[in-house]
Amino acid sequence: MNVIDGKQLAATVRQEVAQGVAALVAEGAESPGLATVLVGSDPASEVYVRNKRRLSLEAGMRDLHHWLPEDVTQSEAIALIDELAEDQRVSGILIQLPLPPHLDAASLIDRIPTGKDVDGLTVRSAGQLAQRDRGLRPCTPAGVIRILEHVGVEIEGAHAVVVGRSILVGGPMAQLLLERNATVTVCHSRSRDLPRLCREADILIAAAGVPTLLDRSFVKDGAVVVDVGIHRTEHGLVGDVDFSDVSEVASAITPVPGGVGPMTIAMLLVNTLQAAELAHRTSRAG
Ligand code: NAD
C-alpha cells in the first residue's frame, strides 16, 4: 500500500511553478502578482492566507495582499475588487472564504475577471468547466487530479466515486474526472446505501466533511483513495476516511494531514502562473 506524500508532491509542483515564473520574467514579463484579500481576523483564515502569501513569494511572485476590517461594507469591498481587477500588476485575485455573513460573497467573487480567477470559483469559470472549455480550475479538485496523475492510476475508463457535491470541491471534482474520461458517480447526504456505491469505486474521493465517515467497508480491494476532508479533533487532524482501517485495503491513500491540503496552495500558484502567462501573451499580441 502506497501512502501518497502530498507534501513532497506539492514541493515539486511549487518548484515547477518557480521555474515557470523565472522563464516568464526572462521573456520580459513582470513577475506574477497574487492579490489575496482577507476580511476580518478569523484565525484559520489568517493562517491560510499567510501560507499562500509566503509560498507565492517563495515561487518568485509578488505578494499584493489586502486586508479589510470585519465591518467593511459591500460597496467598499466591491471597490477593492474592482481596483484589483483593473490593476495590471495583479495576475490573480483570491478572496479568502468564508466572508463575514453581512457580505454577499457570491457577488463579490463574480466581480473577479475570469482571467484573474485563480480560485476558479466565478460563475464564468464554472461555466468553462461545465462546457469543457479552457480556464482556471478550482484548486482543491485540481490538486486531487494532480495526485492521481502522480500515483499513475489510469483515470480514463475507471469508475470514480466522489462523496460530496459542493460547489467548491465535490461538484468540480466530478467534472474534472469526467473531463478525463472516468465514469463518475457523485454521492451526497441523501444518497442511499453509501457503502455499496463507494465499493464500486476504482478511485474514491472523500469530500463529505464528516470525520472518518469512510472505513474499509466502503472500499474495494486495491482502490485508490483520496481524502479531501480536514477536521480538527482532540486527537489532532483527521480526514473523512478512517486512515488506518482503509490503509489495509486501498492500493494507495492520501493521509491527513500531508495529502490533499498542501496540494491546494500549490495549485493556486499553478493557476496564478497560468493567469500571468496568458495576460503576458495577450498583451504582446495586442
Ligand atoms: P460542504 O459541507 O460544502 O459539502 C459537503 C458535501 O458532502 C455535500 O455535498 C453533502 O451532500 C455531502 N455529505 C455530507 N454528509 C454526507 C454523508 N454523511 N454522506 C454522503 N455525503 C455527505 O463541504 P466542502 O466545502 O465540499 O468540503 C468538504 C471537506 O473538504 C471538508 O472537510 C473541508 O474542510 C475539506 N476541504 C479541504 C480542502 C483542502 O485543501 N484539503 C479544501 C476545501 C475543503
Side-chain angles (χ1 to χ4, degrees), residues 140 163-170 187-191 194 206-210 213 227-231 240 260-262 264-265:
T140 300
V163 186
R165 59 171 168 184
S166 72
I167 290 172
L168 193 65
V169 188
C187 304
H188 47 80
S189 52
R190 287 176 227 174
S191 297
L194 189 64
V210 180
L213 175 69
D227 189 354
V228 182
I230 309 179
H231 312 278
D240 286 358
V260 174
T264 296
I265 299 187

Side-chain angles (χ1 to χ4, degrees), residues 32 50 88 109 143 236 239 245 250 252 264 282:
R50 200 180 313 134
Q88 300 283 324
I109 289 170
D245 195 38
T264 296
T282 312

Side-chain angles (χ1 to χ4, degrees), residues 113-197:
T114 318
K116 295 188 179 189
D117 179 20
V118 287
D119 240 354
L121 294 180
T122 62
V123 169
R124 287 175 306 279
S125 295
Q128 286 174 329
L129 174 57
Q131 306 246 339
R132 297 192 202 125
D133 199 358
R134 291 164 75 93
L136 296 165
R137 305 305 195 213
C139 302
T140 300
V144 173
I145 294 290
R146 191 67 193 255
I147 286 173
L148 294 174
E149 287 169 353
H150 172 73
V151 173
V153 56
E154 189 164 11
I155 301 176
E156 180 158 329
H159 188 176
V161 176
V162 181
V163 186
R165 59 171 168 184
S166 72
I167 290 172
L168 193 65
V169 188
M173 185 73 255
Q175 286 174 299
L176 286 177
L177 287 161
L178 201 53
E179 191 173 57
R180 282 160 183 76
N181 300 316
T183 302
V184 182
T185 301
V186 183
C187 304
H188 47 80
S189 52
R190 287 176 227 174
S191 297
R192 284 189 207 129
D193 202 351
L194 189 64
R196 180 182 61 76
L197 293 165

Side-chain angles (χ1 to χ4, degrees), residues 39 68-79 102-104 108:
V39 181
L68 294 171
E70 183 83 30
D71 61 355
V72 68
T73 63
Q74 181 79 10
S75 56
E76 286 164 339
I78 286 176
H102 70 278
L103 294 176
D104 178 352
L108 276 179

Side-chain angles (χ1 to χ4, degrees), residues 197-267:
L197 293 165
C198 290
R199 274 195 306 274
E200 302 259 308
D202 304 308
I203 297 169
L204 180 58
I205 315 288
V210 180
T212 58
L213 175 69
L214 310 187
D215 62 20
R216 75 163 79 184
S217 71
F218 292 68
V219 182
K220 177 168 83 177
D221 258 2
V224 173
V225 180
V226 179
D227 189 354
V228 182
I230 309 179
H231 312 278
R232 238 166 264 283
T233 71
E234 54 189 16
H235 311 293
L237 288 182
V238 300
D240 286 358
V241 175
D242 181 340
F243 180 83
S244 57
D245 195 38
V246 171
S247 310
E248 307 269 323
V249 287
S251 63
I253 182 169
T254 58
V256 178
V260 174
M263 286 302 292
T264 296
I265 299 187
M267 298 315 287

Side-chain angles (χ1 to χ4, degrees), residues 21-38:
V21 169
L24 187 64
V25 170
E27 275 180 41
E30 296 290 334
S31 49
L34 175 62
T36 45
V37 177
L38 175 65

Side-chain angles (χ1 to χ4, degrees), residues 48-96:
Y48 286 134
V49 168
R50 200 180 313 134
N51 285 336
K52 288 168 187 174
R53 295 175 63 192
R54 180 173 57 81
L55 294 173
S56 69
L57 281 170
E58 270 181 26
M61 296 181 178
R62 281 180 297 180
D63 168 26
L64 305 171
H65 176 64
H66 288 263
W67 179 81
L68 294 171
E70 183 83 30
D71 61 355
V72 68
T73 63
Q74 181 79 10
S75 56
E76 286 164 339
I78 286 176
L80 173 63
I81 302 303
D82 288 356
E83 186 190 312
L84 298 174
E86 287 297 315
D87 189 339
Q88 300 283 324
R89 296 173 313 148
V90 173
S91 317
I93 303 171
L94 176 138
I95 303 174
Q96 184 64 40

